[in-house]
């Protein structure tokens, strides 16, 4: 998942020059690449299998307790 400006950039493929402008942001701010990379790693931790399994277990427990 892309969080615009945090883990990457979203661009409109129908808007001429939009992708180019996003690429220029990286060219003009190379440190942004590393910052966004770190943000991507951090964001991806939300989707580790154990975390997802814990969420499902929580949902199932809530469903069972409401019956």
């Amino acid at each position: 998942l892309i969080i615009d400006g945090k883990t990457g950039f979203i661009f409109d493929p129908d808007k001429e020059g939009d992708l180019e402008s996003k690429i220029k942001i990286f060219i003009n701010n190379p440190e942004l690449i590393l910052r966004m990379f770190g943000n991507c790693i951090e964001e991806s931790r939300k989707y580790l299998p154990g975390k997802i399994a814990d969420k499902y277990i929580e949902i199932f427990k809530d469903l069972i307790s409401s019956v």
Side-chain angles (χ1 to χ4, degrees), residues 17-30:
D18 198 27
L19 176 58
E20 178 184 359
S21 71
K22 305 300 185 194
I23 292 171
K24 285 182 178 179
I25 292 171
F26 284 129
I27 291 169
N28 295 325
N29 304 285

Side-chain angles (χ1 to χ4, degrees), residues 41-66:
I41 297 299
E42 181 182 322
E43 191 65 24
S44 71
R45 289 187 178 124
K46 294 178 183 177
Y47 304 99
L48 291 172
K51 294 236 181 192
I52 298 297
D54 289 344
K55 293 284 184 186
Y56 275 114
I57 290 168
E58 186 180 315
I59 290 168
F60 290 136
K61 283 181 178 179
D62 287 345
L63 288 171
I64 291 170
S65 68
S66 67

Side-chain angles (χ1 to χ4, degrees), residues 3 5-8 26 30-46:
I3 300 171
K6 182 178 179 184
T7 60
F26 284 129
E31 73 284 353
L32 185 59
I33 296 169
L34 291 176
R35 189 171 340 128
M36 284 191 174
F37 174 75
N39 292 340
C40 288
I41 297 299
E42 181 182 322
E43 191 65 24
S44 71
R45 289 187 178 124
K46 294 178 183 177

